[in-house]
Amino acid sequence: MSEHVKIVEVGPRDGLQNEKQPVSVDTRVGLIERLVGAGVRHIEAASFVSPKWVRQMAGSAEVMRRVPRMANVHYSALTPNIQGLEAAMAAGCEEIAVFGAASETFSQRNINCSIRESLERFRAVMNVALQNKLRVRGYVSCVLGCPYEGDIEPGKVSEVALILREMGCHEISLGDTIGRGNPDSTRRMLEACIRVIPAPQLAGHFHDTYGMAIANIVASLELDLRTFDSSVSGLGGCPYAAGASGNVATEDVVHLLHGLGYATGIDLHKLIRAGSYIGSALGRATSSRAALAVYGDCSTTSAA
Ligand code: HMG
Ligand code: MG
C-alpha cells in the first residue's frame, strides 16, 4: 500500500484572507464543499482574528456553522487570543491554530506583540483549548526569511517550534511566509527542527513566490516530513508580508505526490474543478501548473 501524505488545505483561510475584496460566506462554503467532495480531509476553514486587522475573515463563525460535517473531515481555524478561541468554540471548532513567528518584527506587525508575549498569550489559549478537548496546531512564520529582517537563523525556528510543541501543539507547521527558501535552506532549517521534534509532527507550509515550493517539498519528504499545507489554485499571500505570493497550489502538490507513489486520498480532477470554482468567483486565472496542464486555464468557465 502506498504511504500516505497528509495535505492541509489552507486556501479558504490563507488564500482568501489576502483578497482585496472580501469573498462572501456563500462562496467560501461553496469552495469548502467542493474541496471535501474532492477528498480533502484537513481544511483550515476560518480565522477568528480581529476584523479590524483582517476584514476578509469576517463571517468565519457562519462559515464554520455551514461547512459539511463528516466524521473523517477535520476543520481548523486560526485563533490569536482568548477572544478568538471563545468565538471559535462557539462556532463549533474542534481544532484551532495558534500562530507565532521566528522573527520579532513580523510578530509585531502580524499580531502586535513580541515573540515572548505571543507565546504567553498562546499558553493561555492552549490551556483553555486543551481543557475543552480541542486539538491545537502551532504555526511558526518566517522560517526561511522575514520581509523585515531578512535571513532567520534555523536555531530561532527550532526554539519557537519546540516551545509550541511543549505547550501541547500536536503538529507544528513551519511557514516559509515569503517563499524565500530553497531546498538547501529548507534542509538546514528542518534539520535544526528535527533535532528537537520528530519529523512526523512537523508540517511544511511553503509559499511559492520564487517558484521553489515544490522543490522544498521534495527536500522535506527526504527528511521524512509527511504533512504539507497548500492552497487550491495557489490562492493567497499574507497581509503582513508584502510581495508574498500564494501557497503552493494543492493541485501541484497532489500531482507531485501521486507521481512519487504517495497516496493523498484526493481526486486531482475534482480538486482542479474546486480550483476552477474559486477562480471563476474571483475572476482569476489559476496559479496551478498541474491545473493548466490538465485542463488548460478553465478559471473563467463555469465550474461544477
Ligand atoms: P490588538 O489591536 O493588539 O488587540 O490586535 P487588542 O486586544 O488590543 O484588541 C483591539 C480590538 O480588536 C478590540 O476591539 C478587540 O475586541 C478586537 P475594540 O475594543 O477596539 O472594538 N479583537 C478581536 N476581535 C475579534 N476577534 C479577535 C479579537 N482580538 C481582539 N480574536 C490581534 C491583536 C492579535 C487581535 C490582531 O493583531 C490580529 O487579529 N492579528 C491577526 C493578523 C492575521 O490574521 N494575520 C494573518 C494570519 S498569519 C499568516 O497568514 C501566516 C501563516 O499562514 C503561516 C505562514 O505563511 O508563515 C499562518
Ligand atoms: Mg501562510
Side-chain angles (χ1 to χ4, degrees):
M1 220 170 80
S2 306
E3 192 180 351
H4 187 80
V5 171
K6 173 176 154 190
I7 302 274
V8 180
E9 168 62 48
V10 295
R13 192 283 302 174
D14 206 354
L16 299 183
Q17 76 179 7
N18 213 42
E19 285 302 314
K20 280 201 172 57
Q21 289 308 318
V23 178
S24 72
V25 167
D26 282 352
T27 303
R28 286 150 71 185
V29 173
L31 173 61
I32 291 167
E33 287 168 348
R34 284 162 177 80
L35 291 166
V36 171
V40 180
R41 293 295 172 257
H42 299 268
I43 302 176
E44 197 170 77
S47 181
F48 293 92
V49 298
S50 164
K52 289 180 187 148
W53 284 65
V54 181
R55 70 189 172 109
Q56 292 87 340
M57 288 289 103
S60 280
E62 193 185 341
V63 170
M64 285 309 303
R65 276 193 283 270
R66 287 178 47 191
V67 291
R69 296 286 180 173
M70 287 157 60
N72 59 353
V73 176
H74 307 281
Y75 298 105
S76 60
L78 295 193
T79 56
N81 52 18
I82 290 282
Q83 192 172 339
L85 171 67
E86 284 171 351
M89 290 199 301
C93 287
E94 287 165 5
E95 176 164 343
I96 57 150
V98 294
F99 48 107
S103 150
E104 277 301 340
T105 317
F106 185 81
S107 180
Q108 289 289 353
R109 300 284 173 101
N110 194 38
I111 50 174
N112 206 23
C113 62
S114 69
I115 296 174
R116 192 180 49 77
E117 287 164 338
S118 76
L119 293 170
E120 283 164 13
R121 203 180 275 175
F122 298 154
R123 193 181 295 281
V125 170
M126 291 194 58
N127 284 342
V128 179
L130 296 174
Q131 274 163 20
N132 283 278
K133 307 250 180 307
L134 271 70
R135 277 156 63 84
V136 187
R137 191 170 204 241
Y139 276 104
V140 185
S141 285
C142 297
V143 299
L144 294 169
C146 167
Y148 312 106
E149 295 183 12
D151 290 342
I152 296 292
E153 280 301 311
K156 188 68 201 173
V157 179
S158 61
E159 181 190 323
V160 176
L162 180 60
I163 294 171
L164 291 173
R165 175 73 195 106
E166 286 179 342
M167 280 183 193
C169 290
H170 70 90
E171 185 169 276
I172 308 296
S173 175
L174 301 165
D176 183 11
T177 317
I178 53 170
R180 277 217 357 199
N182 61 41
D184 199 33
S185 58
T186 297
R187 239 176 256 119
R188 276 185 274 115
M189 180 276 294
L190 287 179
E191 280 164 1
C193 292
I194 290 166
R195 272 197 280 279
V196 293
I197 301 173
Q201 289 166 14
L202 299 172
H205 177 110
F206 296 103
H207 285 256
D208 206 24
T209 319
Y210 290 87
M212 290 291 108
I214 286 288
N216 296 339
I217 289 175
V218 173
S220 308
L221 286 166
E222 286 168 2
L223 287 172
D224 295 332
L225 266 74
R226 294 293 181 267
T227 301
F228 297 98
D229 301 353
S230 59
S231 191
V232 67
S233 200
L235 296 171
C238 177
Y240 298 97
S245 77
N247 298 85
V248 62
T250 309
E251 298 91 320
D252 297 359
V253 180
V254 169
H255 171 76
L256 169 79
L257 292 169
H258 291 180
L260 294 178
Y262 294 101
T264 63
I266 296 173
D267 179 317
L268 181 58
H269 288 83
K270 288 183 181 169
L271 180 65
I272 290 171
R273 286 204 288 279
S276 170
Y277 164 83
I278 192 65
S280 296
L282 299 174
R284 168 96 43 83
T286 183
S287 299
S288 162
R289 303 295 294 268
L292 283 171
V294 172
Y295 281 145
D297 181 12
C298 51
S299 63
T300 51
T301 62
S302 63

